[in-house]
């Protein structure tokens, strides 16, 4: 599932190709991918608009348009945005194509059909409830401590809660907790200040590594040019089923935390 580093990579790599480009045609192969407004209104309001801006907030991509409308895309579980020549033959799993005025198109590939597009006047209806951006300077250890204070949920679940911190998903939560040597089932309120500082550092470190490696392609994530990211090759615990801890050699464990598959080292991350 694309998380902050994957969505940031998509944004960075689309940016130079889409800014100043006009949407000349829209092919909705599966129109369920448009969640708001109606398909007809989506089409008529988007057609002919020039893309003036592309930003990321949490796991959302936000395209600014000349009309002032915003096209908001969420890749959810299995989405990718591929930048291809407009003449590319349609293939399986392409749900929508936004054609641009430079003979290219943004091809929304989404095998599992959870991805979505919305066209709105104000992004706040969607992104205002998100927690702070973990790579912004205002995300300090104090802010993290505040977000975890008095919480009786497992730390892993708190990290996945987008209203608490934006952009972290299953893979990078496991990686951050391993890097900080904190067990995923520790309660938020049980973390010491020193552990929170360690976790804060670990979150930023694993997210930056993910971005520098252009995201992790453990399942169906592709970069806009169709290649895979390499961040998963550096994962220490996430998705390393049946392997041993790279630090101490103990067999890694897979447990469920609120129904999410969770990888950890039972020796480096002592049980609560
Ligand atoms: Zn270990």
């Amino acid at each position: 599932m694309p998380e902050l580093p994957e969505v940031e990579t998509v944004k960075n790599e689309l940016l130079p190709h889409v800014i100043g480009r006009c949407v000349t045609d829209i092919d909705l192969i599966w129109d369920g991918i448009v969640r708001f407004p109606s398909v007809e209104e989506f089409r008529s309001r988007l057609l002919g608009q020039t893309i003036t801006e592309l930003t990321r907030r949490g796991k959302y991509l936000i395209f600014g348009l000349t009309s002032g409308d915003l096209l908001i895309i969420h890749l959810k579980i299995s989405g990718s945005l591929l930048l291809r020549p407009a003449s590319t033959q349609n293939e399986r799993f392409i749900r929508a194509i936004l054609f641009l005025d430079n003979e290219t198109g943004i091809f929304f590939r989404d095998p599992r059909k959870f991805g979505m597009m919305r066209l709105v006047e104000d992004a706040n209806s969607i992104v205002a409830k998100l927690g702070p951006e973990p790579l912004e300077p205002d995300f300090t250890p104090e802010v993290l401590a505040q977000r975890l204070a008095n919480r009786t949920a497992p730390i892993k679940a708190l990290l996945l809660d987008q209203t608490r911190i934006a952009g972290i998903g299953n893979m990078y939560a496991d990686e951050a907790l391993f890097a900080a040597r904190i067990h995923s089932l520790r309660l938020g309120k049980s973390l010491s200040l020193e552990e929170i500082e360690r976790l804060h550092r670990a979150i930023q470190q694993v997210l930056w590594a993910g971005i520098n490696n252009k995201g992790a392609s453990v399942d169906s994530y592709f970069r806009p040019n169709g290649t895979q990211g390499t961040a998963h090759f550096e994962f220490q615990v996430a998705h390393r089923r049946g392997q041993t801890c790279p630090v101490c050699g103990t067999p890694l464990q897979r447990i469920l935390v609120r129904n999410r598959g969770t990888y950890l080292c039972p020796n480096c991350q002592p049980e609560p």
Side-chain angles (χ1 to χ4, degrees):
M1 183 190 217
E3 304 179 25
L4 187 154
E6 288 73 35
V7 181
E8 179 72 9
T9 300
V10 171
K11 184 208 74 181
N12 290 341
E13 297 188 348
L14 279 183
L15 205 51
H17 303 284
V18 304
I19 295 300
R21 302 265 65 106
C22 177
V23 179
T24 55
D25 201 3
I26 301 164
D27 192 356
L28 297 174
I29 297 137
W30 176 64
D31 62 16
I33 201 157
V34 174
R35 301 297 163 86
F36 185 86
S38 67
V39 169
E40 294 70 32
E41 196 182 336
F42 179 87
R43 196 191 288 279
S44 66
R45 269 166 62 184
L46 183 54
L47 213 54
Q49 292 299 319
T50 297
I51 300 169
T52 56
E53 206 181 15
L54 172 55
T55 56
R56 179 194 58 74
R57 178 78 174 92
K59 302 179 197 169
Y60 291 92
L61 289 160
I62 306 173
F63 295 76
L65 305 170
T66 32
S67 60
D69 277 343
L70 300 163
L71 169 66
I72 301 193
I73 293 185
H74 199 300
L75 303 172
K76 293 282 177 173
I77 296 179
S78 64
S80 298
L81 297 183
L82 305 171
L83 194 76
R84 293 176 162 177
S87 59
T88 305
Q89 287 284 319
N90 192 15
E91 58 176 66
R92 224 177 148 203
F93 303 138
I94 302 294
R95 308 303 181 193
I97 309 171
L98 306 182
F99 292 99
L100 306 177
D101 61 356
N102 60 349
E103 309 295 316
T104 67
I106 300 172
F107 289 61
F108 197 152
R109 181 183 189 276
D110 189 17
R112 297 186 60 188
K113 288 186 167 178
F114 286 96
M116 65 96 193
M117 298 197 282
R118 280 173 219 256
L119 196 63
V120 297
E121 286 170 40
D122 179 4
N124 270 339
S125 58
I126 296 168
V127 300
K129 58 184 188 294
L130 295 176
E133 284 290 327
L135 295 179
E136 291 296 316
D138 57 1
F139 180 71
T140 58
E142 292 71 32
V143 169
L144 180 60
Q146 224 173 57
R147 312 299 291 177
L148 303 179
N150 304 321
R151 307 308 302 184
T152 54
I155 182 65
K156 166 90 183 261
L158 294 169
L159 292 181
L160 296 185
D161 178 353
Q162 300 301 298
T163 66
R164 211 149 284 288
I165 308 169
I168 300 174
N170 208 34
M171 304 183 292
Y172 294 96
D174 284 358
E175 286 298 294
L177 287 168
F178 174 76
R181 305 293 186 258
I182 295 169
H183 197 282
S184 311
L185 288 173
R186 289 278 304 280
L187 304 186
K189 66 175 188 180
S190 78
L191 268 57
S192 69
L193 210 53
E194 196 221 326
E195 287 175 320
I196 289 174
E197 279 171 3
R198 230 155 60 205
L199 180 57
H200 175 268
R201 206 161 40 239
I203 288 170
Q204 296 196 328
Q205 175 198 315
V206 301
L207 293 177
W208 276 121
I211 292 170
N212 291 334
N213 289 303
K214 316 296 181 200
S217 290
V218 289
D219 38 41
S220 51
Y221 160 78
F222 292 99
R223 294 162 59 186
N225 66 8
T227 64
Q228 296 193 315
T230 57
H232 51 294
F233 295 124
E234 287 184 18
F235 281 171
Q236 306 286 293
V237 294
H239 293 280
R240 300 186 83 90
R241 189 191 284 263
Q243 300 187 33
T244 55
C245 171
V247 172
C248 72
T250 305
L252 296 177
Q253 241 178 25
R254 182 179 184 277
I255 62 169
L256 288 178
V257 178
R258 298 255 171 106
N259 256 335
R260 303 297 301 272
T262 296
Y263 294 86
L264 55 84
C265 171
N267 182 44
C268 294
Q269 297 162 270
E271 240 181 283

